Structure formats: C-alpha cells, structure tokens
Amino acid sequence: MQASELREVSLALRAARRNQTPIETPTKTWPALDAEGGFEVQRITAEEAIKSGDRLVGYKLGNIAKVMQDAFGLDHPDYGFLLASTFVYEGTTLDRKQYIKLFVELEPAFVLRGPLRGPNCTVADVINAVDYAIPAIEIIDSRVKDWAIDLPDTLADNGSTGAVILGGTPRKLTELNLRDTRGTLRFNDREVMSGNTANILGNPLSATAWLVNRLAAYDIEFKPGQVILPGSCLQAVPMEEAGHWTCTFEGWGTVEFDVV
C-alpha cells in the first residue's frame, strides 16, 4: 500500500475512536491492507498521538491464548503500542458511552527494569529484565463494526486496545507461579469467567519473549520502565451492563472497577 493509503486507514480509525462510531472492516475498504501494512497504520496512529502530547509507555500482545483466538476468529496473535492516555486508575468508573463494544480481559502486566531486544530473546532474558509483575485489566474495544476483523484489521486498530487498569499488588517474579495461577472475572459478585496463566503460551514470560522477537522485525526495543501486557489468561467477557467488576489472580491480587 502507498503511504497515503496507510494514513487514510489511520485517520478513519482515529475518527472512529474519537466519535465512538465503528467503521467497516478496513481490509474490505482497502483490500491491499496486509499484516505489515496494519502494523504501519498503528505506528502512524501512535506517532500522531505522541505528537499531540501522549506518551509511549509499553507494548501489548493479544489473542495469544487459543480461547481468545477462537472467540474472535483469529489464528495469530496481535500486538500494539501502549499509550499513557489509555491507562485508567483502579477504582474509577468507566463510562461505556466513551467506547464502542467492550470486552474485559484479565492478565499479568510486567514492568521492566532492563531493556529487551530481539531477535533471539529468551525467557531467561525476560526474567532478568522484569522488575515486577502486577495484576492488570485490559479492556479491548474494536473500532471495526461488529468486531469483523482479520489480523491486518486488528493490527491497524492497535490490537483493539481500549483501556488498561493496573492493580496495586506488585510482586517479584520469584513470589509468583506464572506457570500456574488461576484468574477469575466476577461481575456484580457472580463469577463469569476463569482461566489460568498457563494459557498464555505456557506462561506469560514466554509470551513476552515472543513479543520481543516479533517486534524486533520493526526495530523496536523494550526499554526500562515500560509496561508489557503479554495477553489474557481467559476468554474476554463482553461488558454490556452497568455494574461492578472484580478481577482476581488467586494468591496474588485483585483489580476492581465500576462501569456505567
């Protein structure tokens, strides 16, 4: 695709986010859009946001678990930039009218003390670079009508990121068993979904190494202080009603928020 066309896709998706009005599937409107073009679109979107005062604070991996790929009809993970403007404080109230069609995911987040760069990044490299882990919520929200997405579409839409909520119980990796930690989502005190961190490519440290190596193709290095979201441990749950969400990793911590 021409650079001008990639910018057209970015403009359309930014307008959809701003107006809370979804657009038709980008690969239908721009049939030449492929995965590489989709990543270039999200890079353009991130660069424009940073020019307007936003800040790059990390990276995300999505659809790494099979339950997530099955739910959204994808057969490959997606990934995207994390911008400071998408982070929401725990305990604040989320207004669904500010988004389009939301889903809730529970996942660990890693905060780095050292850099990571691929190719050939290993799990040991990731362990050495992580300062601490935090329970996190990613709220995904597609700017594509009815979530009718293929990989190029969700990449262009920055991995369908809506909002991120970090919890308040940071832990060193040696205090956790990320190979086998159960996570649950509860809505209005009723359990609606559960999963295990083993669903995240065996463990979320492996998923992080995968992401580092994948983004090395775009000359991206992860830097100290950045937040990394390695993917959900369970199938995303639609956020269709007002109420209270309680999202817990057993033996670790809980993230709670309200929705109107």
Side-chain angles (χ1 to χ4, degrees), residues 189-239:
D189 206 30
R190 175 177 61 87
E191 184 174 318
V192 293
M193 188 63 65
S194 67
N196 193 292
T197 51
N199 294 333
I200 311 172
L201 205 63
N203 71 70
L205 299 166
S206 298
T208 301
W210 187 97
L211 181 62
V212 173
N213 289 325
R214 180 68 189 95
L215 293 188
Y218 302 105
D219 196 30
I220 288 175
E221 177 181 6
F222 294 12
K223 298 180 180 180
Q226 288 184 330
V227 178
I228 309 302
L229 294 180
S232 178
C233 73
L234 42 73
Q235 184 174 324
V237 177
M239 185 189 293

Side-chain angles (χ1 to χ4, degrees), residues 13-226:
L13 289 166
R14 278 181 276 160
R17 179 188 287 272
R18 184 172 58 252
N19 301 326
Q20 296 89 48
T21 303
I23 63 173
E24 294 298 327
T25 305
T27 48
K28 291 184 178 179
T29 306
W30 293 274
L33 183 68
D34 59 11
E36 296 301 305
F39 185 82
E40 290 306 317
V41 170
Q42 69 167 257
R43 195 201 294 265
I44 291 167
T45 300
E47 289 174 350
E48 290 300 319
I50 292 166
K51 287 178 185 176
S52 299
D54 212 331
R55 188 165 62 92
L56 175 65
V57 296
Y59 302 92
K60 64 153 282 184
L61 179 60
N63 291 314
I64 192 69
K66 189 174 186 305
V67 290
M68 286 295 296
Q69 293 181 10
D70 292 345
F72 292 99
L74 297 171
D75 60 2
H76 195 283
D78 63 20
Y79 29 88
F81 296 86
L82 291 178
L83 297 170
S85 61
T86 62
F87 281 66
V88 179
Y89 297 124
E90 182 181 8
T92 55
T93 299
L94 202 71
D95 186 351
R96 287 173 298 138
K97 293 180 181 178
Q98 295 179 356
Y99 303 89
I100 297 173
K101 190 173 182 180
L102 299 172
F103 288 77
V104 184
E105 299 178 341
L106 174 63
E107 56 191 285
F110 299 131
V111 178
L112 301 181
R113 66 166 177 266
L116 283 169
R117 187 180 185 93
N120 304 317
C121 175
T122 69
V123 172
D125 294 326
V126 173
I127 292 170
N128 286 331
V130 170
D131 192 1
Y132 55 87
I134 324 173
I137 292 298
E138 184 181 3
I139 296 167
I140 55 174
D141 182 34
S142 181
R143 268 58 63 177
V144 178
K145 188 175 181 180
D146 299 325
W147 278 86
I149 55 173
D150 206 340
L151 181 61
D153 305 300
T154 186
L155 286 176
D157 195 22
N158 198 35
S160 304
T161 301
V164 177
I165 306 173
L166 299 180
T169 51
R171 295 285 186 269
K172 294 295 185 180
L173 295 183
T174 51
E175 300 173 23
L176 301 170
N177 178 10
L178 291 173
R179 176 63 181 82
D180 183 18
T181 297
R182 185 172 184 266
T184 59
L185 294 180
R186 301 182 69 87
F187 180 65
N188 290 338
D189 206 30
R190 175 177 61 87
E191 184 174 318
V192 293
M193 188 63 65
S194 67
N196 193 292
T197 51
N199 294 333
I200 311 172
L201 205 63
N203 71 70
L205 299 166
S206 298
T208 301
W210 187 97
L211 181 62
V212 173
N213 289 325
R214 180 68 189 95
L215 293 188
Y218 302 105
D219 196 30
I220 288 175
E221 177 181 6
F222 294 12
K223 298 180 180 180
Q226 288 184 330

